[in-house]
Amino acid sequence: EVLLVQSGAEVKKPGESLKISCKGSGYSFSTYWIAWVRQMSGKGLEWMGIIYPGDSDTTYSPSFQGQVTMSADKSISTAYLQWSSLKASDSAIYYCARLVGTGAKQWLSSWGQGTLVTVSS
Amino acid sequence: SYVLTQPPSVSVAPGQTARITCGGNDIGSKSVHWYQQKSGQAPVLVIYDDSDRPSGIPDQFSGSNSGNTATLTISRVEAGDEADYYCQVWDVTRDVIFGGGTKLTVL
């Protein structure tokens, strides 16, 4: 069974740094892209970017380029999403998901349970 | 960039059929995927590649895609189907594109 398990909820202050994680199991973690998706309270899904754990190749959504950093450690089947200086507007639930398919047919087959990030002074 | 348009809400009585649309320019030439997100839960894939169902998804869920509209059809709707539904396509620039989501209310 494919599982993505994310790290627990975080409460941070503006300006602090944060790194959340997404650990995969039940499949070859290195060979599937991992996507990160933001969901602000009461809002829809926003794609943030994707990372290929095999070589850490990344693509960021223009909306999130320069705002976050995605990374991965294939030796422990874990992907990360990090912020160097949080803002209140970063408060949201963040999901990781496994991207499957090829070419123009790609979708998110399995999702993590989500990590709630709250940024408040 | 490519835009997917969904109605904000759809309402249906129990036992009836719900149809949720996803509009986009020539979307019929793309592969469309659908996700169900129940309140307080992570999204779940219910349809991929226009009309295929992942294992474990009941056959009450079906999908179609033609022209400028893709449609998720939920037959024999029950209270447990109440959720937000999102369509998604893959863009050639390596972008995942989501629709704005549709809230399905079971009356």
Side-chain angles (χ1 to χ4, degrees):
Chain A
E1 180 192 10
V2 174
L3 279 178
L4 294 172
V5 179
Q6 298 185 231
S7 49
E10 301 274 3
V11 179
K12 293 289 189 178
K13 291 183 172 17
E16 292 186 331
S17 63
L18 175 65
K19 191 173 190 178
I20 62 174
S21 66
C22 168
K23 183 174 177 61
S25 62
Y27 73 101
S28 177
F29 186 78
S30 297
T31 60
Y32 287 87
W33 292 81
I34 289 288
W36 286 96
V37 176
R38 183 176 80 173
Q39 187 168 41
M40 301 180 77
S41 181
K43 303 298 184 182
L45 304 176
E46 297 178 89
W47 173 71
M48 302 177 70
I50 52 173
I51 183 166
Y52 189 73
D55 60 6
S56 291
D57 185 17
T58 56
T59 297
Y60 291 90
S61 163
S63 299
F64 291 94
Q65 179 81 49
Q67 308 305 307
V68 296
T69 302
M70 295 181 294
S71 60
D73 184 342
K74 62 183 179 182
S75 71
I76 56 172
S77 301
T78 301
Y80 301 96
L81 182 66
Q82 68 181 89
W83 295 258
S84 59
S85 181
L86 286 161
K87 303 184 285 287
S89 58
D90 292 318
S91 297
I93 297 174
Y94 293 87
Y95 293 101
C96 64
R98 186 177 78 147
L99 188 67
V100 302
T102 58
K105 299 184 179 187
Q106 302 198 45
W107 61 91
L108 302 169
S109 64
S110 304
W111 294 66
Q113 82 276 20
T115 295
L116 174 63
V117 174
T118 304
V119 184
S120 174
S121 54
Chain B
S1 63
Y2 194 75
V3 176
L4 296 174
T5 302
Q6 297 183 237
S9 62
V10 167
S11 299
V12 64
Q16 299 303 302
T17 296
R19 293 179 179 82
I20 298 172
T21 60
C22 177
N25 184 37
D26 195 27
I27 196 174
S29 67
K30 297 183 179 294
S31 178
V32 180
H33 323 293
W34 292 91
Y35 305 89
Q36 175 194 66
Q37 186 180 32
K38 295 183 179 180
S39 180
Q41 299 183 21
V44 172
L45 179 72
V46 293
I47 292 289
Y48 67 96
D49 197 14
D50 294 340
S51 58
D52 290 333
R53 275 180 289 107
S55 61
I57 299 301
D59 62 6
Q60 68 175 136
F61 290 89
S62 62
S64 62
N65 184 19
S66 178
N68 293 318
T69 305
T71 303
L72 173 69
T73 300
I74 309 171
S75 305
R76 306 178 303 279
V77 168
E78 50 195 50
D81 298 323
E82 195 162 274
D84 295 323
Y85 291 85
Y86 297 89
C87 58
Q88 176 251 312
V89 300
W90 172 259
D91 188 73
V92 293
T93 57
R94 294 206 296 185
D95 284 352
V96 169
I97 298 175
F98 290 109
T102 297
K103 180 176 182 59
L104 176 66
T105 299
V106 181
L107 300 171

